[in-house]
Amino acid sequence: ILNVEQSPQSLHVQEGDSTNFTCSFPSSNFYALHWYRWETAKSPEALFVMTLNGDEKKKGRISATLNTKEGYSYLYIKGSQPEDSATYLCASSGGSYIPTFGRGTSLIVHP
Amino acid sequence: DAGVTQSPTHLIKTRGQQVTLRCSPISGHKSVSWYQQVLGQGPQFIFQYYEKEERGRGNFPDRFSARQFPNYSSELNVNALLLGDSALYLCASNPAPQETQYFGPGTRLLVL
């Protein structure tokens, strides 16, 4: 994998559903994996930064895992709410610390 | 505490013109990065400055330039604007390059 790739590109779920997204990144020269939430008309907001293989982070109903050996991270949202509607970006940084972003996953939660 | 601020919020220019975008980092942050985001793409890295020196440059033409001032604020300049320069320009700051970046709201540039 040469670039940061996210899937799916977009997702529509019902309120209360649990969902997850995938971020794939180059596993060589890896330093950190970042997840951001970007709501319309707002600034991207940092959710998690993970550096170690096997890292798991949690913030309320949102959690993330990291596998640096195979180059992927999962973001989970439990019991989605309409306010979770946003674009979720992941970014991978290497030794230069300059992050490379994926295209994002657009999540829409329907009431 | 104030977050990252950017000015202006919106801008309309015509082809061939020049534009300057401004960014004020969070107090205490010495690193500023610039990104270009076009619809359907993730933010693309343009420049990173740390302690007033350029420490990284993305794959953008020489028409793009930037600088960081002694107070750590930054300007992004784009010369000879092209239609394809129309995008959202994001600024992000962090205390040091290896730490989490905090983004401003962006400047939306439209080139006609």
Side-chain angles (χ1 to χ4, degrees), chain A residues 5-61:
Chain A
E5 298 170 0
Q6 292 188 244
S7 63
Q9 185 174 351
S10 65
L11 197 55
H12 289 249
V13 301
Q14 291 297 126
E15 183 175 355
D17 288 349
S18 292
T19 187
N20 64 85
F21 324 133
T22 303
C23 173
S24 301
F25 56 89
S27 55
S28 61
N29 192 30
F30 171 82
Y31 174 73
L33 191 286
H34 308 257
W35 281 101
Y36 288 85
R37 175 170 57 202
W38 195 359
E39 296 179 67
T40 303
K42 294 187 178 180
S43 309
E45 172 197 0
L47 287 174
F48 304 115
V49 57
M50 297 177 286
T51 57
L52 299 176
N53 185 45
D55 260 354
E56 293 187 21
K57 294 285 179 84
K58 186 174 181 181
K59 186 176 183 178
R61 294 178 291 98

Side-chain angles (χ1 to χ4, degrees), chain B residues 74-101:
Chain B
S74 177
E75 286 182 352
L76 175 70
N77 294 286
V78 187
N79 292 323
L81 284 166
L82 303 174
L83 296 180
D85 295 330
S86 296
L88 179 68
Y89 289 85
L90 290 165
C91 172
S93 76
N94 43 357
Q98 68 270 29
E99 302 193 47
T100 297
Q101 293 186 333

Side-chain angles (χ1 to χ4, degrees), chain B:
Chain B
D1 285 342
V4 177
T5 60
Q6 293 186 243
S7 63
T9 55
H10 296 82
L11 204 50
I12 300 175
K13 291 286 189 178
T14 56
R15 281 177 296 175
Q17 286 189 313
Q18 175 264 341
V19 68
T20 298
L21 311 181
R22 296 176 175 83
C23 172
S24 292
I26 292 171
S27 177
H29 287 194
K30 299 181 179 180
S31 176
V32 170
S33 300
W34 287 95
Y35 296 87
Q36 182 195 66
Q37 198 259 341
V38 298
L39 201 60
Q41 304 286 328
Q44 298 293 308
F45 171 72
I46 309 175
F47 284 107
Q48 186 178 80
Y49 277 78
Y50 177 56
E51 290 279 23
K52 292 155 281 182
E53 294 198 0
E54 180 184 310
R55 72 175 299 276
R57 182 187 182 115
N59 188 24
F60 280 80
D62 291 344
R63 299 184 295 107
F64 288 76
S65 64
R67 55 181 175 167
Q68 187 178 33
F69 298 99
N71 66 354
Y72 302 109
S73 66
S74 177
E75 286 182 352
L76 175 70
N77 294 286
V78 187
N79 292 323
L81 284 166
L82 303 174
L83 296 180
D85 295 330
S86 296
L88 179 68
Y89 289 85
L90 290 165
C91 172
S93 76
N94 43 357
Q98 68 270 29
E99 302 193 47
T100 297
Q101 293 186 333
Y102 294 84
F103 282 86
T107 293
R108 188 162 295 281
L109 172 64
L110 177 61
V111 182
L112 301 176

